[in-house]
Amino acid sequence: MTACVEIKNLYKTYHRRKWLFGAGEAVEVLKDVTLSLPENRVLGLVGESGCGKSTLCKVLLGIEKPTSGTVVVQGQDVPQATKAQLKKMRRVMQVIYQDPYGSLDPRMTVRQLLSEPLDIHKLYLNKNERNKFLEELVQSVGLSPEHLNRYPHEFSGGQRQRISIARALALDPRVLVADEPVSALDISVQAQILNLLRDIKRTRKLTILFVTHDFAVARFLCDDIAVMYQGRIMEKAPAEQLLAHPQHPYTQTLLSAVPEVGKSLASEPEEKAIGSSAGMGCPFAPRCAKATDVCRQQIPTLLETSPGHWCACACLTQGEKNDLKS
Amino acid sequence: MSISPVLQVEDLRIDFQNDAQSLPVLRGLSYSLPAGKVLAVVGESGSGKTVHALSLLRLLPAAGRISGGKILYKGKDLLTLSGKELRQVRGQKIAMIFQDPAASLNPVLTIGDQLCETLQAHRKLTKEQARKEAVKLLEKVGIADAEKRIAEYPFQFSGGMCQRVMIAMALALSPDILIADEPTTALDVTIQAQIIRLIKELQQREKMAVIFITHNLALASQVADEVLVLYGGMCMEQAPAKELFSQPKHPYTQGLLASLASLKTRSERLPAIAGQPPLPGEIMIGCPFVPRCPHAKEKCRQSLPSLTKRGEHAVRCFREDKP
C-alpha cells in the first residue's frame, strides 16, 4: 500500500489576544501530528470538540498554513504549494463540510453549483457533454436530473448533503476530506448518507479522511481510526482492533460514554475532575485515573504496541500493558 | 398505573400561522406523566417535539397557537391560567432546560446574579440568603469550588458546566416536573454522560418527573422509564422503555432502530429508511409515515390509523389492529 497522504510532525499554533492591546498568547492546536492515509482506505479521525480535528482538515486542504511539519498529498507538498499548484491540488483533493445549509450558495441552482468547479478547471466545455456529465453525477449521489434546476432551499438536509457530495466529486478527486458530514442530519437520513459515502468510496476508489465524534459511525465507514485529544494523536489502529481492544485510557473513557440501545448508563468512570492544564506531560493526565508522576512530566510518544496498533501512553511502555488491556 | 399523573396532556394541537394558511405542527398528542418518572419524547427535526415542550409552559413563539386540547397539571388546565397564575407554575412547578446552555445564560451577569434572581423572584429571601442558597445549588450539581465560581461569568464556564448551572437554576425552586429539551446535544460524549447521570441522580433524589426530549434513541433507552415516538406531529408508538426497544412495533421505530450504526458489530450496509421526514405542518390524509413505510397499503394512504393500546404498549399502525 502506498501512502496517498502523508502528514509528518505537524504543528499549528494560533495566536490570540486576551484584550485588544494585550500581549498575544500562543495556543497550540496541533501538536506533533503524524498520520498517513494509504490509498483507497478510510481513516476516521475521532475526538471531542476543540481537539483540533477541523484544524487538521484545514491544514491538509491548504486553507491554513502549519507552523511546522509537512503535509504531502500524492507527491505534492501542500503548505509549500504555490497558488497554481494549490489549484491543481483541488482536482486531487476535495472536501465535504458538516453544515449542508451553510456550504451551498443559496442563490445558485444545483446546476450552477456543480458547474462552478468545472468552469474553474475548464472541463467539459462542450454543452451536451457537460449536461450528460452533470446528469450522471447527480444520479450517482441518488438525486435525479430534474433536481439540477432547483435551488438549495428546495431540498432537505439529507438531499443538500448529497449535493455537497456531488460537488466534491465533480472533479473526480482521489482524496476526500469529510468534516463531520452526517452529524447535522436526522438519524433516519444519516444512514442513507453513510451508505452513499461507502458506495462512492468503493466505486471511485477514494481515499477518505473522515472526521467524526461518533464512534459508531466511524466503525461503519472507516478502515482505520485515529483518536485525537488536545491536538495530539493518542491512539491509532485498524477500526476493529481499536474498538475491540482500546489501549489508551482516553479512548476507553470515550467509548464507555457512548450511549447505546440496551447498554445501561455507564457508571461514573474513574475520572478525576478536570484540573488545570496538563502543563508538561500527557494532555490526558489531569483526567486519567492511571496517571503517574511520569505522565505529568513527560509527553508519551506514539509507539507501536502491537502490529498496526499505535498508542501514546506511558503506562503501556512501563510493562502495564496487560493490566490496561484487561 | 398506580402512581397518579402529575401532568396530563389531552389531545394537544398546535398550529403555526404562515402567511395565509395555518399549518398543523402537533396533531393531537395525549399522554400522562406519572410523578417521579422519566418520559422520553423521541423524534426527528420537525416532528413537533420541541414545540410540544414549549407549549407546556406556554412559551410558544408568536406564530404558534394552541388550537385545541388540554394540559392538566395536577388536574388544573394550564391553558386557562392567567399570566399571574402561570408565573406561579413556571419555574416553581415546571422548570425547563434547553439545548444550548451558553445561549440560555445572560453573558453580562455573573452565574450568582442569575441564580439569585430566580430565587428572589419566587421566594422571600435576602441577598445574603439567596447567595448562600445559590452556592448550595451549585454544589448540588457538582460544581467544585462553588463559593468562588459563583462570581464568574458564563464565558468562564465550559459547555458542560453551563448546562450544570442551567440545571441548578431549574432545580432552584424544587419543581415537580423538569422539561429537558435536548440537554446534551451540544455537548461531547463524556460530558453528555456526566450530565445524564446528574439529571438521573437528581430526578431520583428529588422524586421529580422528567420530560426528556431527544433525537437520540440510545440516550432515551438509558434514561427513560417510558418512551414516546413522535413523527409528523403525532405519536406513533408509546411504551415502557424496555418493551419499546426490545419489541418495537411501529415500522418507523423498527426502521430507526435498525438504521443505527452500532459500536459492537460492523455491518456491510445500514438498513436506512428511504425518503425524508415530512416537513412540519405538511398536510396528509393518511398515516404520515406512508411514503417511507415498507408495509404501506392503500388503506394507509386514505385513512389515519388510530393509536391502539394493548397493555402498556400503544401503536398507531393498521398492522397492529388485526388480532
Side-chain angles (χ1 to χ4, degrees), chain B residues 39-56:
Chain B
L39 170 75
V41 177
V42 181
E44 297 180 88
S45 49
S47 64
K49 55 188 195 300
T50 295
V51 161
H52 137 260
L54 291 174
S55 74
L56 296 179

PDB file of all heavy atoms in Angstrom, chain B residues 39-56:
ATOM      1  N   LEU B  39     -40.153  10.438  31.150  1.00  0.00           N
ATOM      2  CA  LEU B  39     -40.742  10.157  29.843  1.00  0.00           C
ATOM      3  C   LEU B  39     -39.823  10.736  28.780  1.00  0.00           C
ATOM      4  O   LEU B  39     -39.507  11.917  28.807  1.00  0.00           O
ATOM      5  CB  LEU B  39     -42.129  10.810  29.740  1.00  0.00           C
ATOM      6  CG  LEU B  39     -42.767  10.798  28.345  1.00  0.00           C
ATOM      7  CD1 LEU B  39     -43.290   9.406  28.011  1.00  0.00           C
ATOM      8  CD2 LEU B  39     -43.886  11.811  28.235  1.00  0.00           C
ATOM      9  N   ALA B  40     -39.387   9.898  27.847  1.00  0.00           N
ATOM     10  CA  ALA B  40     -38.575  10.418  26.748  1.00  0.00           C
ATOM     11  C   ALA B  40     -39.472  10.634  25.539  1.00  0.00           C
ATOM     12  O   ALA B  40     -40.242   9.756  25.179  1.00  0.00           O
ATOM     13  CB  ALA B  40     -37.463   9.443  26.411  1.00  0.00           C
ATOM     14  N   VAL B  41     -39.386  11.821  24.957  1.00  0.00           N
ATOM     15  CA  VAL B  41     -40.106  12.100  23.724  1.00  0.00           C
ATOM     16  C   VAL B  41     -39.061  12.108  22.614  1.00  0.00           C
ATOM     17  O   VAL B  41     -38.182  12.950  22.584  1.00  0.00           O
ATOM     18  CB  VAL B  41     -40.845  13.444  23.791  1.00  0.00           C
ATOM     19  CG1 VAL B  41     -41.535  13.749  22.467  1.00  0.00           C
ATOM     20  CG2 VAL B  41     -41.860  13.423  24.921  1.00  0.00           C
ATOM     21  N   VAL B  42     -39.155  11.114  21.718  1.00  0.00           N
ATOM     22  CA  VAL B  42     -38.136  10.934  20.693  1.00  0.00           C
ATOM     23  C   VAL B  42     -38.701  11.321  19.337  1.00  0.00           C
ATOM     24  O   VAL B  42     -39.827  10.971  19.009  1.00  0.00           O
ATOM     25  CB  VAL B  42     -37.680   9.454  20.635  1.00  0.00           C
ATOM     26  CG1 VAL B  42     -36.608   9.264  19.594  1.00  0.00           C
ATOM     27  CG2 VAL B  42     -37.190   9.010  21.984  1.00  0.00           C
ATOM     28  N   GLY B  43     -37.942  12.067  18.576  1.00  0.00           N
ATOM     29  CA  GLY B  43     -38.407  12.416  17.235  1.00  0.00           C
ATOM     30  C   GLY B  43     -37.333  13.106  16.450  1.00  0.00           C
ATOM     31  O   GLY B  43     -36.341  13.583  17.014  1.00  0.00           O
ATOM     32  N   GLU B  44     -37.526  13.190  15.133  1.00  0.00           N
ATOM     33  CA  GLU B  44     -36.555  13.870  14.283  1.00  0.00           C
ATOM     34  C   GLU B  44     -36.898  15.354  14.228  1.00  0.00           C
ATOM     35  O   GLU B  44     -37.918  15.784  14.754  1.00  0.00           O
ATOM     36  CB  GLU B  44     -36.596  13.261  12.886  1.00  0.00           C
ATOM     37  CG  GLU B  44     -36.198  11.809  12.891  1.00  0.00           C
ATOM     38  CD  GLU B  44     -36.233  11.199  11.508  1.00  0.00           C
ATOM     39  OE1 GLU B  44     -35.224  11.285  10.822  1.00  0.00           O
ATOM     40  OE2 GLU B  44     -37.270  10.657  11.122  1.00  0.00           O
ATOM     41  N   SER B  45     -36.050  16.123  13.537  1.00  0.00           N
ATOM     42  CA  SER B  45     -36.355  17.547  13.449  1.00  0.00           C
ATOM     43  C   SER B  45     -37.661  17.724  12.680  1.00  0.00           C
ATOM     44  O   SER B  45     -37.922  17.031  11.705  1.00  0.00           O
ATOM     45  CB  SER B  45     -35.221  18.306  12.775  1.00  0.00           C
ATOM     46  OG  SER B  45     -34.840  17.689  11.594  1.00  0.00           O
ATOM     47  N   GLY B  46     -38.498  18.625  13.158  1.00  0.00           N
ATOM     48  CA  GLY B  46     -39.784  18.850  12.509  1.00  0.00           C
ATOM     49  C   GLY B  46     -40.883  17.922  12.984  1.00  0.00           C
ATOM     50  O   GLY B  46     -42.010  18.007  12.521  1.00  0.00           O
ATOM     51  N   SER B  47     -40.566  17.031  13.929  1.00  0.00           N
ATOM     52  CA  SER B  47     -41.600  16.100  14.385  1.00  0.00           C
ATOM     53  C   SER B  47     -42.547  16.753  15.371  1.00  0.00           C
ATOM     54  O   SER B  47     -43.598  16.221  15.677  1.00  0.00           O
ATOM     55  CB  SER B  47     -40.954  14.873  15.017  1.00  0.00           C
ATOM     56  OG  SER B  47     -40.237  15.241  16.173  1.00  0.00           O
ATOM     57  N   GLY B  48     -42.165  17.902  15.906  1.00  0.00           N
ATOM     58  CA  GLY B  48     -43.030  18.608  16.848  1.00  0.00           C
ATOM     59  C   GLY B  48     -42.606  18.455  18.295  1.00  0.00           C
ATOM     60  O   GLY B  48     -43.295  18.909  19.202  1.00  0.00           O
ATOM     61  N   LYS B  49     -41.435  17.849  18.519  1.00  0.00           N
ATOM     62  CA  LYS B  49     -41.071  17.566  19.904  1.00  0.00           C
ATOM     63  C   LYS B  49     -40.744  18.814  20.713  1.00  0.00           C
ATOM     64  O   LYS B  49     -41.174  18.940  21.852  1.00  0.00           O
ATOM     65  CB  LYS B  49     -39.921  16.551  19.983  1.00  0.00           C
ATOM     66  CG  LYS B  49     -38.671  16.916  19.225  1.00  0.00           C
ATOM     67  CD  LYS B  49     -37.702  15.740  19.220  1.00  0.00           C
ATOM     68  CE  LYS B  49     -36.314  16.166  18.795  1.00  0.00           C
ATOM     69  NZ  LYS B  49     -36.227  16.761  17.450  1.00  0.00           N
ATOM     70  N   THR B  50     -40.030  19.758  20.119  1.00  0.00           N
ATOM     71  CA  THR B  50     -39.687  20.971  20.848  1.00  0.00           C
ATOM     72  C   THR B  50     -40.892  21.885  21.006  1.00  0.00           C
ATOM     73  O   THR B  50     -41.121  22.465  22.075  1.00  0.00           O
ATOM     74  CB  THR B  50     -38.536  21.708  20.139  1.00  0.00           C
ATOM     75  OG1 THR B  50     -37.383  20.886  20.209  1.00  0.00           O
ATOM     76  CG2 THR B  50     -38.229  23.036  20.794  1.00  0.00           C
ATOM     77  N   VAL B  51     -41.703  21.984  19.948  1.00  0.00           N
ATOM     78  CA  VAL B  51     -42.911  22.804  20.007  1.00  0.00           C
ATOM     79  C   VAL B  51     -43.820  22.311  21.125  1.00  0.00           C
ATOM     80  O   VAL B  51     -44.381  23.088  21.888  1.00  0.00           O
ATOM     81  CB  VAL B  51     -43.626  22.752  18.633  1.00  0.00           C
ATOM     82  CG1 VAL B  51     -45.063  23.175  18.755  1.00  0.00           C
ATOM     83  CG2 VAL B  51     -42.889  23.606  17.632  1.00  0.00           C
ATOM     84  N   HIS B  52     -43.899  21.002  21.250  1.00  0.00           N
ATOM     85  CA  HIS B  52     -44.716  20.417  22.315  1.00  0.00           C
ATOM     86  C   HIS B  52     -44.186  20.825  23.686  1.00  0.00           C
ATOM     87  O   HIS B  52     -44.936  21.208  24.572  1.00  0.00           O
ATOM     88  CB  HIS B  52     -44.760  18.892  22.132  1.00  0.00           C
ATOM     89  CG  HIS B  52     -44.605  18.119  23.382  1.00  0.00           C
ATOM     90  ND1 HIS B  52     -43.410  17.547  23.745  1.00  0.00           N
ATOM     91  CD2 HIS B  52     -45.476  17.846  24.383  1.00  0.00           C
ATOM     92  CE1 HIS B  52     -43.568  16.957  24.911  1.00  0.00           C
ATOM     93  NE2 HIS B  52     -44.804  17.121  25.322  1.00  0.00           N
ATOM     94  N   ALA B  53     -42.838  20.796  23.815  1.00  0.00           N
ATOM     95  CA  ALA B  53     -42.241  21.139  25.104  1.00  0.00           C
ATOM     96  C   ALA B  53     -42.489  22.601  25.454  1.00  0.00           C
ATOM     97  O   ALA B  53     -42.827  22.932  26.590  1.00  0.00           O
ATOM     98  CB  ALA B  53     -40.744  20.865  25.063  1.00  0.00           C
ATOM     99  N   LEU B  54     -42.333  23.475  24.461  1.00  0.00           N
ATOM    100  CA  LEU B  54     -42.543  24.901  24.709  1.00  0.00           C
ATOM    101  C   LEU B  54     -43.991  25.177  25.092  1.00  0.00           C
ATOM    102  O   LEU B  54     -44.277  26.012  25.943  1.00  0.00           O
ATOM    103  CB  LEU B  54     -42.177  25.710  23.459  1.00  0.00           C
ATOM    104  CG  LEU B  54     -40.692  25.750  23.111  1.00  0.00           C
ATOM    105  CD1 LEU B  54     -40.480  26.441  21.781  1.00  0.00           C
ATOM    106  CD2 LEU B  54     -39.898  26.464  24.195  1.00  0.00           C
ATOM    107  N   SER B  55     -44.906  24.439  24.473  1.00  0.00           N
ATOM    108  CA  SER B  55     -46.322  24.694  24.734  1.00  0.00           C
ATOM    109  C   SER B  55     -46.703  24.347  26.168  1.00  0.00           C
ATOM    110  O   SER B  55     -47.624  24.929  26.728  1.00  0.00           O
ATOM    111  CB  SER B  55     -47.189  23.914  23.753  1.00  0.00           C
ATOM    112  OG  SER B  55     -47.196  22.550  24.103  1.00  0.00           O
ATOM    113  N   LEU B  56     -45.975  23.412  26.777  1.00  0.00           N
ATOM    114  CA  LEU B  56     -46.322  23.004  28.139  1.00  0.00           C
ATOM    115  C   LEU B  56     -46.218  24.184  29.101  1.00  0.00           C
ATOM    116  O   LEU B  56     -46.936  24.269  30.084  1.00  0.00           O
ATOM    117  CB  LEU B  56     -45.411  21.871  28.628  1.00  0.00           C
ATOM    118  CG  LEU B  56     -45.512  20.551  27.864  1.00  0.00           C
ATOM    119  CD1 LEU B  56     -44.546  19.537  28.440  1.00  0.00           C
ATOM    120  CD2 LEU B  56     -46.929  20.006  27.902  1.00  0.00           C
TER     121      LEU B  56
END
